[in-house]
Amino acid sequence: MPNLNECYRTLELRVGASLEEVNEAYKDLVFIWHPDRIPQSRERLQQKAIVKLQDLNKARDYLQSYLQRRQNLRSARRPAQKAAAAGQARSASSPAPAKTTRRTAPPRTTQKPKERQSQAAQKFRQRTKATQPPPRSVPNPKTQKAAPPQSKPPQPPVATDSAAKRAAKRWRTGRAAEPAKTAPAATKSTSRPLTPDHSGVDWHGADLQERDFSGRNLSQANLANVNLKDAFMHKVNLAGANLTNANLTRANLLQANLTQANLQGANLTAADLSGADLRGADFTGANMGIGKKVMVKLTGANLSGAIMPNGTIHT
């Protein structure tokens, strides 16, 4: 099976040339190397032209099949991407419902504030007068003779507490009599917060090194040129995501969903893709190792229909 880069070199094209450029280059080279243009007497040159024409045909057929396949994959992804972008635009353009606060009118009173204060002050003064003891008369030492100490009657105890102090005492004793209220034990919430949905998000060129996206939904997201080095992406949903030229060095993509994902030119050195779903993923030009040694862990991964770095389709 021919190699993708060798086919481009055979047609004297750069890697990644379009289908139109492939057809034009093929026509130009066939015009030069067609055996009918070489005289019959030049047998060695004719044989060389036949071999050259066979190589050109193989390269043209392989590149046409590969580019048509890639165009079909892109056209299949576009409706889902447009639907996600339209849904995001509708959610951004819809205005949030305005919050209305209902004010409660204060209760109406027929009395004026000054009248209420004066009535309360009168009631307080009446209560304090009723509870206070009568004033003591102070004897005059000049007009009253000193009585012998034996004949001095015992005096009753004088109430020195004011009405405010007695009210405070009653309040304290009443509070002490009440049973102590025990605060209910705080219940720990065992429910885990919902995983945020990042489907269709545009993080082009963002630095997300060593971030944790395990279990997140990043389907149809734009992650081109993103730095995801050493990122933890266990069971992440990257279906249809754009990961072109992304840095996924040592990224943990265990059991991740990468169906129909675009990983062209991505750096996957030492990444863990064990158990990942890679059906229909495009790895064209991706770096998956050093030289011919594959440095990506693909234990149990599903590669059905995936386009490998050399352009071949895994079956």
Side-chain angles (χ1 to χ4, degrees):
M1 184 175 291
N3 185 276
L4 182 65
N5 296 335
E6 290 177 358
C7 291
Y8 278 116
R9 284 196 296 269
T10 301
L11 293 174
E12 301 179 3
L13 291 172
R14 58 178 178 81
V15 177
S18 63
L19 184 59
E20 292 78 10
E21 293 176 343
V22 170
N23 293 331
E24 290 178 0
Y26 172 78
K27 292 177 182 178
D28 295 340
L29 292 173
V30 167
F31 180 80
I32 297 171
W33 287 99
H34 200 279
D36 294 341
R37 294 178 57 83
I38 300 173
Q40 296 291 335
S41 58
R42 305 293 297 273
E43 294 181 1
R44 186 182 63 81
L45 191 58
Q46 256 198 354
Q47 292 296 328
K48 186 176 180 181
I50 292 171
V51 174
K52 184 67 174 179
L53 186 61
Q54 291 175 353
D55 293 339
L56 292 174
N57 290 333
K58 289 180 182 179
R60 191 271 311 268
D61 295 339
Y62 182 82
L63 288 175
Q64 282 183 344
S65 176
Y66 164 73
L67 293 173
Q68 189 64 39
R69 234 177 12 250
R70 189 172 69 175
Q71 187 175 1
N72 294 338
L73 286 174
R74 288 179 178 175
S75 60
R77 293 193 194 107
R78 282 171 186 167
Q81 292 177 353
K82 287 181 179 179
Q88 190 174 4
R90 283 196 299 270
S91 62
S93 61
S94 59
K99 295 182 179 179
T100 57
T101 57
R102 187 177 178 181
R103 296 182 179 179
T104 57
R108 295 182 179 180
T109 57
T110 55
Q111 294 181 351
K112 296 182 179 180
K114 291 184 179 180
E115 293 177 0
R116 291 198 299 271
Q117 291 177 3
S118 61
Q119 290 179 3
Q122 289 177 4
K123 290 180 181 180
F124 179 78
R125 284 195 293 269
Q126 290 176 2
R127 286 197 300 270
T128 54
K129 286 180 181 179
T131 54
Q132 284 181 358
R136 291 188 300 167
S137 60
V138 181
N140 192 355
K142 293 182 179 180
T143 57
Q144 191 177 6
K145 294 182 179 181
Q150 290 83 6
S151 62
K152 186 176 182 180
Q155 295 180 357
V158 180
T160 58
D161 291 342
S162 63
K165 290 183 178 180
R166 286 195 297 273
K169 285 182 181 180
R170 285 196 301 272
W171 181 81
R172 283 196 297 270
T173 54
R175 292 288 291 179
E178 293 179 359
K181 295 181 180 179
T182 58
T187 58
K188 294 182 178 179
S189 175
T190 57
S191 62
R192 192 175 180 180
L194 297 175
T195 305
D197 187 4
H198 299 304
S199 58
V201 72
D202 187 3
W203 286 344
H204 181 275
D207 186 7
L208 303 175
Q209 183 175 347
E210 299 181 359
R211 296 289 185 89
D212 187 0
F213 293 104
S214 56
R216 303 286 180 90
N217 182 13
L218 289 164
S219 59
Q220 306 298 330
N222 184 10
L223 301 172
N225 299 310
V226 169
N227 182 16
L228 287 166
K229 183 179 180 181
D230 296 314
F232 188 78
M233 307 176 79
H234 177 62
K235 291 185 177 181
V236 69
N237 183 9
L238 288 166
N242 182 13
L243 289 159
T244 55
N245 299 321
N247 184 10
L248 293 164
T249 306
R250 294 191 301 274
N252 185 352
L253 291 158
L254 186 68
Q255 297 179 2
N257 182 6
L258 285 158
T259 55
Q260 303 298 328
N262 186 1
L263 291 153
Q264 295 183 15
N267 186 7
L268 292 163
T269 306
D272 189 358
L273 291 166
S274 301
D277 191 354
L278 304 172
R279 290 175 299 174
D282 191 354
F283 293 95
T284 304
N287 184 14
M288 303 182 72
I290 300 173
K292 295 183 179 180
K293 186 175 182 181
V294 178
M295 301 290 291
V296 179
K297 192 172 182 181
L298 295 167
T299 306
N302 189 355
L303 288 162
S304 178
I307 302 175
M308 304 311 291
N310 59 355
T312 59
I313 297 178
H314 191 277
T315 55

